[in-house]
């Protein structure tokens, strides 16, 4: 019985990943329009990204504003999320090959759940723990994964609901300062 359940879970995860990858459309992707400008803080394209402070899985305190001057990829994810699992290897590849800071914000899961996941996927970028879902609330995250790409001036240049592949990550990253 356990074997059947395991197979069904794996097939479900695989099916969801394929559906999400093939079904990805421009409706899920928002890029910056060159006419956008403004100095307000918010979560819209062109806004200054709301600052936040969280602890990493290793217990270090990190602020988004610490990375001003660098391109930052903020990704909201969870260990139980099949599309999140599907995009983690591409995020790691991006982190290893491009000049970008990745901040992987885990939603309110236990470090006991997250540590084995990080080890399994060999994640070397910072994993931030949003234990009270405060940052998830600030960014109005309604689906996992949700990603924001923030340029070196702190402005949101791209937002995506759903998993991204490496090519899309690189494409959007290269558009930023």
């Amino acid at each position: 019985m356990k074997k059947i359940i395991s197979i069904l879970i794996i097939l479900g995860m695989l099916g969801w990943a394929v559906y999400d990858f093939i079904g990805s459309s421009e409706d899920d992707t928002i890029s910056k329009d060159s006419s956008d400008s403004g100095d307000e803080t918010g979560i819209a394209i062109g806004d200054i990204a709301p600052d936040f402070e969280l602890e990493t899985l290793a217990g270090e305190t990190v602020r988004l504003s610490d990375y001003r001057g660098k391109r930052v990829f903020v990704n909201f994810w969870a260990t139980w999320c099949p599309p999140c699992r599907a995009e983690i290897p591409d995020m790691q590849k991006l982190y290893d090959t491009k000049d970008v800071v990745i901040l992987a914000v885990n939603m309110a899961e236990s470090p006991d759940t997250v540590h084995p996941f990080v080890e399994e996927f060999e994640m070397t970028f910072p994993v931030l723990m949003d234990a009270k879902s405060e940052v998830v609330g600030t960014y109005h995250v309604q689906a996992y994964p949700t990603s924001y790409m923030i340029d070196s001036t702190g402005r949101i240049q791209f937002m995506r609901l759903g998993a991204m592949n490496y090519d899309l990550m690189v494409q959007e990253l290269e558009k930023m300062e």
Side-chain angles (χ1 to χ4, degrees):
M1 185 67 172
K2 285 184 182 180
K3 197 174 203 179
I4 292 172
I5 292 172
S6 296
I7 290 171
L8 288 174
I9 289 171
I10 291 169
L11 287 174
M13 288 173 46
L14 180 61
W16 175 257
V18 169
Y19 168 80
D20 188 65
F21 183 76
I22 291 173
S24 294
S25 70
E26 292 300 316
D27 295 342
D28 296 336
T29 301
I30 303 170
S31 292
K32 181 181 187 261
D33 177 350
S34 60
S35 65
D36 288 341
S37 64
D39 290 334
E40 71 181 60
T41 299
I43 59 169
I45 302 303
D47 287 348
I48 298 293
D51 198 13
F52 58 82
E53 180 177 302
L54 292 171
E55 281 193 13
T56 67
L57 197 53
E60 300 169 2
T61 299
V62 169
R63 292 178 59 98
L64 176 60
S65 58
D66 292 342
Y67 299 100
R68 189 65 57 95
K70 299 179 185 222
R71 298 177 298 177
V72 181
F73 179 5
V74 178
N75 178 266
F76 295 92
W77 67 285
T79 60
W80 49 260
C81 162
C84 301
R85 297 174 78 85
E87 81 175 348
I88 292 290
D90 286 339
M91 288 172 54
Q92 185 63 53
K93 181 178 177 183
L94 185 75
Y95 186 72
D96 290 341
T97 60
K98 301 294 179 183
D99 183 24
V100 63
V101 172
I102 294 180
L103 300 176
V105 180
N106 180 268
M107 56 78 63
E109 290 184 284
S110 160
D112 293 338
T113 301
V114 178
H115 271 291
F117 183 92
V118 168
E119 289 176 13
E120 175 186 347
F121 283 86
E122 300 177 355
M123 297 164 64
T124 61
F125 45 83
V127 174
L128 310 181
M129 303 302 293
D130 192 9
K132 297 179 183 175
S133 296
E134 291 171 354
V135 179
V136 166
T138 298
Y139 279 77
H140 302 277
V141 175
Q142 297 177 14
Y144 292 98
T146 293
S147 299
Y148 287 86
M149 288 196 177
I150 302 165
D151 69 17
S152 60
T153 68
R155 291 192 183 282
I156 297 171
Q157 298 297 322
F158 176 82
M159 190 277 261
R160 167 80 178 201
L161 302 175
M164 296 171 57
N165 64 31
Y166 178 77
D167 292 334
L168 179 58
M169 291 174 191
V170 169
Q171 175 186 329
E172 292 303 325
L173 184 65
E174 289 177 352
K175 292 179 183 178
M176 297 188 333
E177 302 172 12

